[in-house]
Amino acid sequence: MVQTMLPNEVHRRYRSLDTIAFWKGTEYRTFLHYMSVVIYKDYMFENAYKHYLLYFCAITLFSTKAHQQFWQLGGRLLTLFVKNFETYYGRSHLTSNVHNLLHVYSDVLNHGELDKFSSYRSENHYQLLKKWVHSGTRCLEQVANRVHHFASIHNFKTCTPPPYPILTRNQDGVHINKNFVLRPNRKDQWFLTRSKGIVKFLKVSNNANQTVLIGSQFDCMAELFHLETSDDIGRIDLSSSDLHIYKVNNNTSTSFVEVPLKSILCKLVCVPLPSRSLSRYVFDPDLSADFCAFFPLLHTFQ
């Protein structure tokens, strides 16, 4: 599954599970959001997989303000996940980190979506701290001195952000904003419209001073999973389509569409679904997939 091509906005590519000891935090996050529900389905018993979906759905809901109306439901999902955790993973793994999941809902209410107060953004700066520390003593003083020196020789200027949308250098794609680009290639060509249509971007056109995206839209799509359970409050019924996650047959018919920028909801990550069980057969990248799963690139919601 490392053959899956991630969009340009995801800077760290998938690495094999053989290298999991060296994974960075952002790699775990990417695996959680865009691959885990595809891979785990073939390796977990049905009940354990449904239990994992509680966690997956909750974290997905908390990862973007676009799902804010479901945040209370996300809190219920995490509570139920922790309550039944011992059944599937054993009491020895019921650590404080698992208990802390019970407080994520209140943290999100206080601070906003998870990326607003996560440490992922600082991860790339750790390499600078390592370079600035030359000995094992007075580490804080070394870092402070080098930060002061760095600030003394660099003048920071406030730059006015350019007016979006902006065409890419070769004019075949478009930057919707600084964190969202569409190009006619396999990894950057998928997006979701506000009318819940999955569109394959082909080219950009300017009609009457209005930027319009030309593409082909799937005529039919289905939910990837459906979560049905209950807790002390009542029934929980959640479809993957509520999270804007869909499954599409690659052979389904498509329609030519013209989409104005205001009709774009988010960019999509396309994950080919294995044609046979990953737990029983070695994954063959040359074996074409009949179905693909589409996941919203969470930070691109408009």
Side-chain angles (χ1 to χ4, degrees):
M1 299 302 288
V2 294
Q3 302 294 326
T4 298
M5 300 186 68
L6 294 170
N8 184 70
E9 293 83 356
V10 180
H11 302 299
R12 289 190 182 273
R13 298 307 179 215
Y14 283 126
R15 289 189 285 178
S16 168
L17 290 175
D18 296 334
T19 64
I20 195 170
F22 304 100
W23 278 20
K24 302 296 185 182
T26 51
E27 291 176 278
Y28 283 105
R29 176 180 63 174
T30 302
F31 177 81
L32 164 67
H33 286 310
Y34 310 119
M35 289 294 290
S36 63
V37 294
V38 174
I39 294 177
Y40 288 160
K41 193 176 192 307
D42 286 339
Y43 287 94
M44 285 182 167
F45 292 114
E46 184 178 359
N47 287 339
Y49 181 71
K50 290 180 179 179
H51 178 255
Y52 173 75
L53 286 179
L54 297 172
Y55 175 78
F56 169 81
C57 292
I59 300 302
T60 299
L61 294 174
F62 290 147
S63 294
T64 172
K65 206 168 184 178
H67 292 318
Q68 189 170 5
Q69 72 272 24
F70 292 118
W71 282 359
Q72 184 179 15
L73 175 60
R76 293 171 60 189
L77 294 176
L78 278 187
T79 299
L80 193 58
F81 176 79
V82 174
K83 180 179 179 180
N84 297 326
F85 185 90
E86 181 182 349
T87 302
Y88 298 100
Y89 300 98
R91 187 172 184 82
S92 61
H93 294 287
L94 197 57
T95 63
S96 59
N97 284 336
V98 177
H99 168 79
N100 288 338
L101 292 175
L102 297 174
H103 304 288
V104 172
Y105 173 52
S106 59
D107 290 339
V108 169
L109 289 181
N110 291 329
H111 305 294
E113 61 268 30
L114 292 176
D115 271 359
K116 288 285 188 181
F117 57 97
S118 75
S119 60
Y120 288 124
R121 295 183 181 181
S122 65
E123 190 175 38
N124 286 331
H125 297 284
Y126 294 159
Q127 57 182 320
L128 294 177
L129 298 180
K130 290 181 180 180
K131 293 179 181 178
W132 289 346
V133 176
H134 295 164
S135 67
T137 59
R138 298 182 178 275
C139 297
L140 182 60
E141 288 88 340
Q142 293 181 62
V143 172
N145 288 335
R146 285 170 177 79
V147 169
H148 179 73
H149 176 69
F150 184 82
S152 67
I153 61 177
H154 289 82
N155 294 321
F156 295 97
K157 297 181 180 179
T158 303
C159 299
T160 303
Y164 289 97
I166 301 175
L167 295 180
T168 56
R169 289 184 180 180
N170 55 8
Q171 306 293 304
D172 67 343
V174 58
H175 292 272
I176 307 301
N177 56 52
K178 67 177 182 178
N179 297 316
F180 187 167
V181 63
L182 288 171
R183 293 188 177 95
N185 57 44
R186 182 180 167 190
K187 63 180 182 178
D188 290 316
Q189 63 186 357
W190 303 102
F191 66 92
L192 185 70
T193 66
R194 296 189 182 278
S195 59
K196 308 303 183 292
I198 296 177
V199 179
K200 179 181 180 179
F201 171 74
L202 299 176
K203 63 180 181 178
V204 59
S205 174
N206 289 313
N207 297 328
N209 296 323
Q210 181 183 19
T211 301
V212 177
L213 305 183
I214 310 299
S216 58
Q217 178 175 308
F218 286 113
D219 293 334
C220 150
M221 55 193 186
E223 62 182 15
L224 181 64
F225 60 80
H226 197 107
L227 181 62
E228 292 182 279
T229 185
S230 60
D231 61 2
D232 296 336
I233 298 177
R235 188 74 180 164
I236 296 176
D237 192 339
L238 185 67
S239 169
S240 67
S241 59
D242 296 324
L243 280 63
H244 307 302
I245 299 173
Y246 301 95
K247 179 175 69 173
V248 174
N249 188 327
N250 291 325
N251 299 317
T252 192
S253 59
T254 59
S255 302
F256 181 82
V257 292
E258 296 184 0
V259 183
L261 294 183
K262 63 181 180 180
S263 297
I264 298 175
L265 181 61
C266 65
K267 189 172 182 176
L268 294 171
V269 180
C270 177
V271 179
L273 295 178
S275 56
R276 54 188 185 179
S277 175
L278 294 173
S279 62
R280 299 178 59 188
Y281 301 95
V282 176
F283 177 71
D284 185 357
D286 297 324
L287 195 62
S288 59
D290 294 328
F291 291 87
C292 285
F294 288 92
F295 299 84
L297 193 59
L298 294 171
H299 70 275
T300 62
F301 275 102
Q302 300 279 85

